[in-house]
Amino acid sequence: MIVVIGKSGQLAWELKRLNPDGCVCLGRDDINVFDPADIKWKLDSLSPVAIINASAYTAVDNAEKEEAAAEALNVVAVKFIAEYCQNNKINLIHCSTDYVFDGKKGTPYKVDDSIDPQGVYGKTKAEGEKAIRSILPNTSTVIRTSWVYSAHGNNFVKTMLRLMASKPLLRVIDDQIGSPTWAKGLAQACLEAARENITGVFHWSDEGVCSWYDFALAIQELGIESGFLNNQIPVEPIPTKDYPTPAKRPHYSVLDKTLTRKVFKSAELLHWRQQLLEMMNELKQEVNK
């Protein structure tokens, strides 16, 4: 049995959907990740062959004023889970983020590039990474990802579809560059790492590169094709300085996936537009049920 820490998020939802009989997802009502005794009691009862940590504090802007909460979930809880895995010789698969980098490089970030997070969210995720690699140097997998979306939960794609259906005009940032990631592909990678005992640090995102503005245009185009949107509205590009946020975003956070392509065999890396269309087709089926 693969135990997934997390239940309500996009990744956990996709993991359970991909492997309904082989995954148990534990939410905050099922396990107290801030209590080592509760972690031990609950996980001992399930005897996991691997653990996937799909739980994290991901509210990037809120983290700037809720640093203690971000650190508790992204660092302290991660340490407790890693220590349990160490004591029980269990592999841990953990998802991290492009926010561990400063976004100034201008070429895709390699797995061994220096990290330099610019905000509380990135800093706590980086500390969580370090804790895992220290406690479980040979039995852990850290998968950094970016711009995650799915048919479940709140994300940029669903927000754009909602706004495009209700607003006469949208302005979207065009000077932050990265790669979208469908959570389903990320979940497939996590499952492969768990089943094949893949260890180390890897990068996972869909293939291709775009700005948030490019992504928004594609969402509108495919949203019209898929029947989510009836009309096209103007979408204007704006610089980051015209849309200030509490947390600093990396201007360039494309992840180099050379190592991922070599090691992961069954989880397939596909272009982000192809993945976006597939997700919208799934979302349409869900809506029409």
Side-chain angles (χ1 to χ4, degrees):
M1 182 67 67
I2 297 171
V3 171
V4 178
I5 307 296
K7 181 185 285 185
S8 60
Q10 299 180 100
L11 177 57
W13 187 77
E14 294 286 2
L15 286 164
K16 185 63 177 176
R17 198 162 63 103
L18 285 170
N19 192 20
D21 298 323
C23 280
V24 172
C25 294
L26 304 178
R28 63 185 63 187
D29 294 332
D30 305 307
I31 187 171
N32 182 358
V33 293
F34 307 114
D35 181 355
D38 194 66
I39 291 172
K40 176 174 171 52
W41 176 81
K42 187 63 181 184
L43 295 181
D44 280 355
S45 70
L46 294 170
S47 301
V49 296
I51 294 172
I52 299 173
N53 183 30
S55 176
Y57 185 107
T58 58
V60 177
D61 288 323
N62 288 345
E64 294 300 311
K65 61 179 183 290
E66 297 179 356
E67 185 169 358
E71 184 171 354
L73 194 52
N74 292 347
V75 185
V76 177
V78 167
K79 286 181 181 177
F80 290 157
I81 295 166
E83 287 167 354
Y84 176 85
C85 290
Q86 179 188 49
N87 293 335
N88 293 275
K89 296 181 172 56
I90 296 170
N91 281 21
L92 174 63
I93 297 88
H94 175 78
C95 283
S96 191
T97 174
D98 56 332
Y99 277 69
V100 300
F101 298 113
D102 63 13
K104 300 174 183 177
K105 185 183 177 187
T107 56
Y109 283 95
K110 300 181 183 297
V111 294
D112 55 356
D113 279 340
S114 297
I115 61 174
D116 184 19
Q118 300 295 292
V120 170
Y121 168 66
K123 288 175 183 176
T124 57
K125 291 296 288 183
E127 289 174 21
E129 281 190 18
K130 291 176 182 177
I132 288 173
R133 298 301 294 160
S134 174
I135 297 167
L136 301 169
N138 302 312
T139 55
S140 63
T141 314
V142 172
I143 303 178
R144 298 185 185 124
T145 190
S146 61
W147 298 21
V148 178
Y149 68 90
S150 76
H152 173 76
N154 299 316
N155 53 68
F156 183 78
V157 176
K158 293 173 75 174
T159 297
M160 287 296 102
L161 288 173
R162 175 174 53 81
L163 293 177
M164 287 168 176
S166 60
K167 300 287 186 181
L169 168 72
L170 282 183
R171 295 182 175 89
V172 182
I173 291 170
D174 71 343
D175 59 355
Q176 292 176 22
I177 309 299
S179 300
T181 305
W182 186 16
K184 183 177 181 179
L186 177 62
Q188 290 169 336
C190 290
L191 288 172
E192 181 175 349
R195 291 164 176 159
E196 303 300 327
N197 294 324
I198 295 171
T199 60
V201 179
F202 299 91
H203 290 165
W204 186 279
S205 67
D206 294 337
E207 297 282 33
V209 177
C210 64
S211 68
W212 288 111
Y213 169 71
D214 298 321
F215 195 21
L217 290 181
I219 292 167
Q220 179 165 248
E221 176 188 333
L222 297 178
I224 291 172
E225 288 182 14
S226 301
F228 285 109
L229 301 172
N230 296 322
N231 302 303
Q232 182 173 322
I233 66 167
V235 180
E236 297 180 355
I238 61 170
T240 298
K241 65 180 180 62
D242 288 353
Y243 190 77
T245 56
K248 185 178 180 181
R249 265 74 172 168
H251 280 288
Y252 184 95
S253 62
V254 178
L255 301 172
D256 183 291
K257 297 182 287 289
T258 302
L259 181 61
T260 302
R261 294 188 195 98
K262 291 179 180 178
V263 175
F264 286 76
K265 304 302 182 184
S266 63
E268 192 174 9
L269 286 161
L270 299 170
H271 192 273
W272 65 264
R273 279 188 64 99
Q274 182 179 346
Q275 295 288 70
L276 177 60
L277 179 59
E278 287 292 325
M279 176 272 196
M280 284 196 179
N281 288 336
E282 286 196 2
L283 184 60
K284 189 174 182 178
Q285 291 175 5
E286 289 291 323
V287 171
N288 292 334
K289 279 184 179 179

